Structures are given as C-alpha cells and as structure tokens.
Amino acid sequence: MKAFSLRDENGKLYYGWIIAVLAAIVTGLVYNGIVSTTGVMMLPVITEMAFDPPEFSLYLTIMSITGIITLLIVQRFFTKQNIKKIMLIAGICGVVSFIGFAMAKNITMFYIFSIPQGFCFTAMTMTPCQLLVSNWFGAKAKGRAMSIFMTGMTLVYVGELNILQRVVTTSGWRAGYYLLGGGIVIAIICVFFIKWSPEDKGVKRMGDLTEEELAAMQMKSSLASGIDFRDAIKKPITWLIFLSATLAVIASSSVLQHGIPTMVYGGYTPEKATAIVSMLSTIMLVTGPVIGIIMDKAPLRVAAFGSALCFAGSCVGLSLITTNPALGVPVFCCLYIFGVASINIISPVIMSFLFGEKSMNKLLSWLNMFIGVGGALGALGVSTMLVKFGTYQIPWLIMAGVLFICAIIRFFATSKKLQYKPGNPENQEA
C-alpha cells in the first residue's frame, strides 16, 4: 500500500486516519482533562473549601502513584481482545472520579476519587492510544500519523481549557468537574469506534515497508542492536538519566497546577492567565518540531542541555511574576515553549543515544515510571513551599535549581564518549 494516502486500496477513507483522530480526542479529553487543567481548578476549590494548597495537591500524588501501579499491571493486557474493555472500564472510572470531585464535601473525597482517576489516566490515554496508532501505520507513515495524533490532542486541550475556564467563572468549580466528566463520556463514545488493526477492516496497513526495505531494516537492526537491558540498568548513568526525568517532571507538574495561580497572584485575571497558557500550547505545536530539527542537525547535547536550561529559566520567569509580572510573564513564555521539550521529546532520545535500540521498550517503561514519580512529587512540593514561604517566588527559584541539576546531568550524559556505537558496546563506561 502507498506510504501516504487518505484512502485505502478500496478507495474508501483509510480507517487509520479515523483512529488517529479518535486517539487525539480521547487523549486530549482524558489525559489533559485530568492533569493539564488542574491550574484552572486549584484556586476556586481551595478558596471555597478552605483547603491548604498542600492538602489539595496531595490528591495528584495519590493519582500519580495509582497510575504508576496501573502501568506496571495493565500494560501487558493491552491486546486485541482486551484493549477496548480496559479503556471502557478506565473511562467509567474517570467519569466516577470527576463526579466524586464535583460532589466533594471534604478533602477525603478528593483523595478517595483520585484512585479511580489514576487508573483512568494510565489505562485510557497515552499508552493504549499510541499503540493503536502504531498498529495502523507502518514505518513510512507512522511519523505523520503520530504528528496528527499529538497535534489533535493539543488542539482538543486548548479548546477544553478555555471552555473549562468560562464554566468555572460563570457556574463554579463543581460545574467545571462535571464538564470534565462529560468530556470523558465523549471519550468513552469514541472508544466504541476503535479497531485494533487494519485486519479488522479487511485492508492493508498504510506505510508498511516492502520486502526489500524490511530485509534491509532487519539487517541494519541486527548490526546495531544496542545494549541489553540487564547491562544498561547496572550503569550509574542510567539511573542519573532516570533521576533527570524525575526532576524535569517535578517542575512540569508544578507548572501545570501552579502556573495559572502564579499569574493570578501576580495580578492577571484567571481568564487572561488561561489564555496565556492556551497560547503557549498552540505555539508548542511549532517549537516541538524545531527541537527535533536541532537534535537532527546538532549534537544531542545542544538540545538536551539547552532545553533543560530553558525550562529552568522559565521557572525564574514564574518567580519574577510575583514582583514584576510585566517582565516575568514574557520570560516564562519565551523559555517554557522550548524548555518543556525536556520531558517527552528529549528524555527518550537520550536513552537511545546511550544504549541503542535493543532494549528500548523496557528502558522507556522504566523511564515512564520515574516520570510518574516526578508527577507525584512536583505539585505537592510547590504547594508545601507556598504555605511555608507565603509566596511563589522562592518555590519557583527552587524549581529552577532542580531543573539546573537536570541540565547538568544531561550535559554530561550526552557526551560522545558515552554514546552507544554499534559493534563496540564496551566503550559505554559510566
């Protein structure tokens, strides 16, 4: 079949494109609805319910830990027979969790309902949706399909974020949680239209390699297989990269929950702060590929160290907002759009740089677990520091320091002396 076409061999719209759009809708509504909208909800909830920021943020820690445990248990069951069932059960858990939040009368209810939310977060979003898109597109079309998936996910998030802010402003935070639950209902409906692979529709997979191309790739793969996981996990540099991923996500999760409140405390209206975050998300549709080009054209150290340093600078910008919003917001915006690549774009590439492709699936699974640890710690940590210092200024400077440590680790980890070289794995001393 053709490497790229809107239609299958029967002249009908290729169902893989529908899968990519459905995956974007599901992930946009569920993943972003659970994590990326927390900044909209925080101030209204803690103000009305008289919660301290740390006790409210603790629900995110519980949710993240539940997600890590879910990933360990459920990922092996994402098969043709089970994936739709798992996603539907996860969706129902997500709806229940948001209804529980909307009806909450005390902080304990947030903690209780964060558990089904953690299951939903992991079992319905990135892992199953990426798998489905991958099933429908071969090597020559997978990159474009994944780009459509990720772009669509971001656009859904931007729309949902702005609608949520309006609902919260006009009808209150409880209505906002009902809205997020309604978004997961839409995602559940999308799941019913999911098909596991092209075979289920009786068509060929788009973008598959020819027999000659496949043979050449297999030969190349055998020549450059990479380092075995058991050897990679023994190296100190592996654990330092895991640590750097945790540090990056500690900051990222903090920005997601506390970025909008920081701007509100700095004098911006919630609507304007939300609009700024939406603008950044849209701009990152462009800056993400720019980081990819830099990684292709320059040594990996440039992008790895540079993005982490930009991320650290963005936290300095958030700190400045508390005293000089006119300076702090531009600094935050200009650096954040490049810094956030440290997580989902840079981290996996560093693992490939160090260890090749042989054990990449297992290494990425471990990497995702350490990313989950960062999600469990970040927002709660900043909330605790906010109460201690009474301002966001020092917490964001501490986050900048955390990211500077991440940058230093990645500077040394991307040395050419540590790079995996096919046929000569013994040069990987760390």
Side-chain angles (χ1 to χ4, degrees):
M1 191 174 174
K2 292 181 180 179
F4 183 83
S5 174
L6 291 178
R7 299 186 180 277
D8 61 28
E9 66 268 28
N10 300 318
K12 298 180 179 179
L13 177 66
Y14 183 59
Y15 204 79
W17 299 119
I18 297 176
I19 293 294
V21 172
L22 291 173
I25 294 171
V26 170
T27 312
L29 292 173
V30 181
Y31 182 99
N32 290 316
I34 290 175
V35 171
S36 302
T37 59
T38 54
V40 174
M41 308 303 293
M42 180 179 171
L43 286 180
V45 174
I46 65 174
T47 300
E48 181 178 322
M49 300 294 287
F51 296 152
D52 287 332
E55 65 176 340
F56 178 68
S57 295
L58 183 58
Y59 95 81
L60 282 173
T61 301
I62 297 171
M63 186 274 293
S64 297
I65 293 172
T66 304
I68 294 170
I69 296 171
T70 299
L71 180 63
L72 289 171
I73 297 173
V74 174
Q75 60 182 336
R76 70 188 70 177
F77 298 108
F78 282 130
T79 62
K80 179 178 180 178
Q81 292 75 24
N82 297 325
I83 191 166
K84 189 176 290 189
K85 297 174 186 176
I86 292 173
M87 292 180 74
L88 289 173
I89 294 170
I92 293 170
C93 288
V95 174
V96 169
S97 72
F98 277 126
I99 292 175
F101 283 4
M103 299 175 65
K105 292 180 172 56
N106 52 58
I107 194 62
T108 303
M109 292 185 68
F110 278 93
Y111 297 160
I112 291 171
F113 286 103
S114 66
I115 295 174
Q117 190 170 100
F119 178 79
C120 176
F121 177 70
T122 298
M124 197 180 185
T125 56
M126 295 300 291
T127 300
C129 287
Q130 286 178 332
L131 176 61
L132 287 165
V133 175
S134 182
N135 284 349
W136 276 86
F137 292 92
K140 293 192 288 186
K142 192 169 294 183
R144 279 169 286 193
M146 286 293 183
S147 295
I148 290 173
F149 162 47
M150 298 301 291
T151 300
M153 168 186 163
T154 301
L155 294 175
V156 170
Y157 160 63
V158 170
E160 183 181 37
L161 183 66
N162 285 278
I163 293 171
L164 177 65
Q165 181 62 69
R166 290 188 181 184
V167 169
V168 171
T169 300
T170 58
S171 303
W173 61 268
R174 295 184 188 274
Y177 281 129
Y178 282 124
L179 173 68
L180 294 174
I184 298 184
V185 172
I186 295 173
I188 289 173
I189 294 171
C190 291
V191 171
F192 283 102
F193 295 94
I194 283 173
K195 300 293 182 183
W196 174 254
S197 68
E199 288 75 15
D200 293 342
K201 298 290 287 186
V203 297
K204 296 179 181 178
R205 187 165 79 151
M206 182 176 294
D208 271 338
L209 300 171
T210 63
E211 291 184 6
E212 293 80 7
E213 290 171 328
L214 184 60
M217 178 171 281
Q218 289 174 339
M219 181 176 295
K220 182 179 179 181
S221 177
S222 66
L223 291 173
S225 55
I227 296 175
D228 188 85
F229 175 79
R230 289 174 296 181
D231 295 323
I233 206 68
K234 295 176 183 177
K235 296 178 179 295
I237 194 64
T238 307
W239 294 95
L240 284 173
I241 292 301
F242 290 157
L243 173 62
S244 76
T246 297
L247 296 176
V249 179
I250 284 175
S252 176
S253 62
S254 300
V255 172
L256 289 176
Q257 185 175 50
H258 294 279
I260 290 176
T262 299
M263 285 184 269
V264 172
Y265 284 149
Y268 286 77
T269 65
E271 292 79 10
K272 190 170 184 178
T274 302
I276 291 171
V277 173
S278 298
M279 176 194 69
L280 294 180
S281 298
T282 304
I283 293 174
M284 283 188 287
L285 294 174
V286 177
T287 56
V290 168
I291 294 294
I293 293 171
I294 293 173
M295 286 192 295
D296 291 339
K297 300 295 184 181
L300 178 58
R301 172 176 280 178
V302 174
F305 177 67
S307 65
L309 213 57
C310 285
F311 208 169
S314 72
C315 287
V316 173
L318 285 169
S319 178
L320 289 172
I321 290 175
T322 59
T323 56
N324 189 349
L327 175 62
V329 169
V331 170
F332 164 65
C333 292
C334 292
L335 295 176
Y336 182 73
I337 56 177
F338 293 101
V340 76
S342 295
I343 304 162
N344 293 324
I345 296 177
I346 300 292
S347 294
V349 176
I350 294 177
M351 301 305 290
S352 178
F353 174 88
L354 290 171
F355 304 116
E357 302 299 327
K358 181 178 181 180
S359 300
M360 194 49 51
N361 286 345
K362 201 162 187 179
L363 284 167
L364 289 182
S365 293
W366 277 60
L367 182 70
N368 286 330
M369 283 189 283
F370 278 84
I371 285 174
V373 172
L377 298 175
L380 176 61
V382 170
S383 292
T384 303
M385 288 187 286
L386 174 63
V387 172
K388 178 177 177 60
F389 297 110
T391 175
Y392 273 119
Q393 185 176 25
I394 296 177
W396 286 125
L397 288 176
I398 292 173
M399 285 296 106
V402 166
L403 286 168
F404 184 72
I405 295 171
C406 172
I408 295 299
I409 291 173
R410 293 186 171 191
F411 179 85
F412 288 105
T414 49
S415 166
K416 288 186 178 180
K417 294 181 180 180
L418 295 177
Q419 183 177 8
Y420 170 74
K421 295 179 177 62
N424 188 28
E426 66 270 16
N427 65 3
Q428 302 299 304
E429 298 297 335

